[in-house]
Amino acid sequence: MSAHAYVVLRRGNGFGNVIKLQPGTRYVIGRAETIEIMLHDELCSRQHAAIEHVNGEWFVHDLGSLNGTRVNHRKIEGTVPLRSGDEISLGRSRLYFVHELADLPPQQPATELSNGDDPLNIVTRLGQTRYDLNTGATMPQGSGNWFQPDVQRMTLQLSLLYRLALKMGAASSQAELIEVVLRELLDATPADAAAVLFVTPKQEVRIGSYLSSDRQQTYCPVPATILQEVLQTKQAVLAEDKNRLRSAASEGSRASSLICAAVSVADRVDFIIHLSCSNPLQALGPEDLELSMAVGKQLGVSSQGLRRQLALHEEITRLKAQVATEVQLIGASPAVQAIEEQIMRVGPTSATVLIRGESGVGKELVARAIHLSSPRRSGPFVCLNCAALAESLLESELFGHEKGAFTGATDRKIGKFEAASGGTIFLDEIGEMPPSAQAKLLRILEGHPYERVGGSEPVRVQVRVVAATNRPLEEAVADGLFRRDLYFRLQVIEIRVPPLRERLTDIPLLADYFLGKFNQETGRKIRGFTPAAIDKLKAHAWPGNVRELRNVLERAVALSNGPVLDAEDVWLSSLDAQTAAPIPLHSPYQPRSLEELERQHILETLVYTGWVKSHAAAILGIERSTLDRKIKAYDLHRN
């Protein structure tokens, strides 16, 4: 008698897994994934029973299972010898022990699954493929020589899976992904028709995509019984017509064999791959089932990745639209219209922009608008406040540093300029930048590479610089605190953002915008403002500008109980009250005409700006052409 033996899983009216037993190995049976014989049976214990070869005989013994082990319907105690043909029962599972496969009892008539006039019989089921590198993989069911594949064919299938993975990775939509899968399966198997079925969360199945070698062939649905089997087990099945070897002339167009493979995404069947073959001489086989299951797993992973990619794309689009909404310039005053016009002209260029204005007027908002109107809009927009960091850290933050450049530099770090490459960098409070950083910034603006702190490797970046300041850089240049050459390099294009007190007509529009924003954030339903509230807002000098207005309205929305905001809801701090009406410094009265006062004021403004007429015109609030006419009329000359 041969020492080896077999354990065969009973499934329905037929046989499933075939496990060859070798002396010297202890075979544990149960639900655990790491044991030798794994059963998908919730009534089995994780390690239910064991079979082993001792002194020329095979024995089975129970491992203290909850529901016990039976041999030929009798519950066993201790160790029991096995004879060929014995039936071992564990939970709902039945296994036959035989020395030779010929010793298996005769199969009962198979359940026939009607597909029109074609009786189909499931001959093989598959839960895992041999391509899964998983030691706990379920062994295929229904074929004794399954684990002896044609090496040449397996090599071709691996090549197909690799090629298919590349094509699936390049797919940009689910329809394209499914078409790639169907075409490859038609080329690689005897199937003459292939389809992918969509499975809804309610387990409803509908045709998703269909291809056939004969374009005139209509889709033949999967028999309901096979479909239900695949949905319940989440496996792949191979079914054949039991009379498929009859003459090809009588076959017609009906399927002689078919494959249905479940495609699971996040542990739920989302698709079913359906292959059918009508040629009885080229029937689908176990190797085609292996391939279909492996392709199905790739389809599930690729589909999940594509969904995430599309979801991220939609989220990015939504966020970009939200950013574009949040950076809109609110106002209808001539000053705001002039800024919008400048942005439209400057945005498409690569010119460096210097934004001037008091704190809180919205200089960063203007910088973002310039970025979004430029060809670099898809690149990053990086902000850095030069006054927020100590001089020792600012250079590292801007240009990065190498590992070991200073105490605490444990790794290489890229700077803001590298992070902004391909986009825009916004340097706020540029007047606070230390001289050492100014020198590097100048080199970047002139197109030269720079080095990270503590490094010698040149770094080149393609970045647009937008700077901002709330202090006159001319004074810093005069005091030697700011490089003159950097000043002229930054001031290629200058945009002046006026303070809120110079565009009081925009206050109602800004107030409505902030009210809608805070209503949405807090869930309030405040309808608007009373005339008294608007008058109070317009009477204030707003030394904190738009930032101060935003804070005042946020406080009003949070604390108000009424349907509209009234004057008593608009609370202004004592600091605001003190600065709302600044006390002018009067010089002793001198009797002068308005014309003489205007001439003197224009001359002092020109001297203050170093005769930079565009800057002087912006301070005076007049057009450059108007300033030129007045200079000529008053006969003003630069000393």
Side-chain angles (χ1 to χ4, degrees), residues 7 21 25-32 35-39 43-52 59-71 76-80 82 88-91 93 95:
V7 167
L21 307 179
T25 302
R26 184 172 182 262
Y27 295 87
V28 178
I29 312 172
R31 286 189 298 110
I35 59 179
E36 288 72 21
I37 304 176
M38 187 183 74
L39 301 176
L43 295 183
C44 286
S45 300
R46 292 182 60 81
Q47 295 188 7
H48 197 108
I51 297 176
E52 55 187 330
F59 293 87
V60 61
H61 61 273
D62 187 79
L63 298 178
S65 65
L66 182 62
N67 296 317
T69 303
R70 290 173 172 79
V71 174
I76 65 174
E77 300 289 343
T79 301
V80 175
L82 290 172
I88 307 171
S89 301
L90 306 89
S93 302
L95 299 92

Side-chain angles (χ1 to χ4, degrees), residues 64-303:
S65 65
L66 182 62
N67 296 317
T69 303
R70 290 173 172 79
V71 174
N72 298 327
H73 308 292
R74 292 185 179 182
K75 189 172 183 178
I76 65 174
E77 300 289 343
T79 301
V80 175
L82 290 172
R83 295 180 176 82
S84 188
D86 282 348
E87 181 184 86
I88 307 171
S89 301
L90 306 89
R92 294 193 180 98
S93 302
R94 291 182 298 161
L95 299 92
Y96 285 103
F97 172 84
V98 292
H99 289 294
E100 301 293 341
L101 293 178
D103 297 339
L104 287 170
Q107 297 188 48
Q108 298 178 12
T111 301
E112 294 183 351
L113 306 170
S114 177
N115 179 17
D117 296 330
D118 290 338
L120 292 172
N121 174 36
I122 294 179
V123 295
T124 306
R125 294 172 175 84
L126 186 64
Q128 297 283 352
T129 75
R130 57 172 164 255
Y131 304 107
D132 293 320
L133 300 179
N134 181 2
T135 56
T138 305
M139 299 179 70
Q141 302 175 8
S143 178
N145 62 350
W146 188 276
F147 291 100
Q148 300 174 8
D150 184 327
V151 175
Q152 183 178 3
R153 181 167 184 176
M154 186 173 179
T155 302
L156 292 175
Q157 288 185 350
L158 286 172
S159 176
L160 167 69
L161 291 174
Y162 172 73
R163 184 175 68 252
L164 183 60
L166 297 179
K167 292 182 178 180
M168 293 169 73
S172 58
S173 66
Q174 189 178 79
E176 183 181 351
L177 178 67
I178 290 175
E179 184 176 0
V180 166
V181 168
L182 295 182
R183 290 192 182 279
E184 291 293 336
L185 285 174
L186 281 178
D187 290 342
T189 67
D192 46 33
V196 168
L197 311 179
F198 293 162
V199 182
T200 68
K202 294 183 179 180
Q203 296 287 289
E204 298 172 349
V205 181
R206 59 184 178 86
I207 181 70
S209 186
Y210 170 71
L211 287 178
S212 68
S213 55
D214 178 8
R215 294 185 178 274
Q216 302 301 319
Q217 184 177 351
T218 57
Y219 175 69
C220 182
V222 183
T225 313
I226 293 182
L227 203 60
Q228 192 65 26
E229 172 83 9
V230 173
L231 289 173
Q232 289 180 351
T233 63
K234 300 180 182 179
Q235 293 182 344
V237 300
L238 170 63
E240 292 180 352
D241 184 341
K242 67 177 183 179
N243 299 316
R244 69 179 180 83
L245 294 180
R246 57 192 168 180
S247 65
S250 64
E251 282 298 316
S253 61
R254 55 195 178 187
S256 64
S257 59
L258 67 83
I259 286 175
C260 277
V263 179
S264 297
V265 178
D267 201 33
R268 187 179 74 83
V269 178
D270 264 17
F271 310 104
I272 293 176
I273 292 178
H274 173 207
L275 303 181
S276 62
C277 180
S278 58
N279 186 347
L281 302 179
Q282 295 182 355
L284 297 165
E287 292 289 342
D288 302 313
L289 184 64
E290 276 274 2
L291 180 63
S292 300
M293 188 71 177
V295 171
K297 288 180 178 293
Q298 286 188 199
L299 175 60
V301 173
S302 297
S303 174

Side-chain angles (χ1 to χ4, degrees), residues 515-526 554 557-558:
L515 177 61
K517 178 181 177 65
F518 296 133
N519 272 340
Q520 184 178 8
E521 291 180 359
T522 61
R524 305 292 300 276
K525 297 182 180 180
I526 300 175
E554 185 176 12
V557 171

Side-chain angles (χ1 to χ4, degrees), residues 304-462:
Q304 192 173 21
L306 187 58
R307 289 178 185 175
R308 284 196 296 264
Q309 180 180 344
L310 294 176
L312 286 174
H313 178 72
E314 292 176 359
E315 180 70 8
I316 290 172
T317 303
R318 184 188 66 81
L319 290 175
K320 284 185 175 180
Q322 180 179 341
V323 169
T325 301
E326 292 182 352
V327 300
Q328 60 181 324
L329 301 178
I330 307 299
S333 64
V336 172
Q337 293 177 4
I339 293 173
E340 290 176 341
E341 184 178 349
Q342 285 180 291
I343 291 172
M344 290 179 61
R345 292 179 179 178
V346 172
T349 72
S350 298
T352 304
V353 180
L354 178 63
I355 304 174
R356 293 178 181 261
E358 296 179 4
S359 178
V361 295
K363 296 188 291 296
E364 182 178 338
L365 194 68
V366 173
R368 286 185 180 274
I370 292 172
H371 172 71
L372 292 176
S373 63
S374 73
R376 300 171 180 267
R377 66 177 67 89
S378 58
F381 179 81
V382 178
C383 300
L384 179 67
N385 190 326
C386 299
L389 295 172
E391 180 177 348
S392 58
L393 296 177
L394 180 61
E395 191 172 353
S396 170
E397 193 70 21
L398 278 172
F399 309 111
H401 62 252
E402 297 289 348
K403 180 179 180 180
F406 50 83
T407 303
T410 56
D411 293 292
R412 170 188 279 187
K413 175 185 176 182
I414 67 169
K416 297 294 186 183
F417 271 96
E418 283 182 85
S421 188
T424 303
I425 186 169
F426 174 58
L427 302 176
D428 200 7
E429 305 294 350
I430 190 69
E432 306 297 330
M433 181 177 286
S436 58
Q438 292 179 30
K440 278 192 173 183
L441 174 59
L442 181 61
R443 286 187 58 81
I444 294 174
L445 292 176
E446 292 177 345
H448 298 293
Y450 66 92
E451 294 82 32
R452 301 184 189 93
V453 177
S456 57
E457 179 183 350
V459 179
R460 289 185 178 274
V461 292
Q462 294 291 332

Side-chain angles (χ1 to χ4, degrees), residues 524-535:
R524 305 292 300 276
K525 297 182 180 180
I526 300 175
R527 296 194 299 269
F529 301 85
T530 64
I534 293 295
D535 290 342

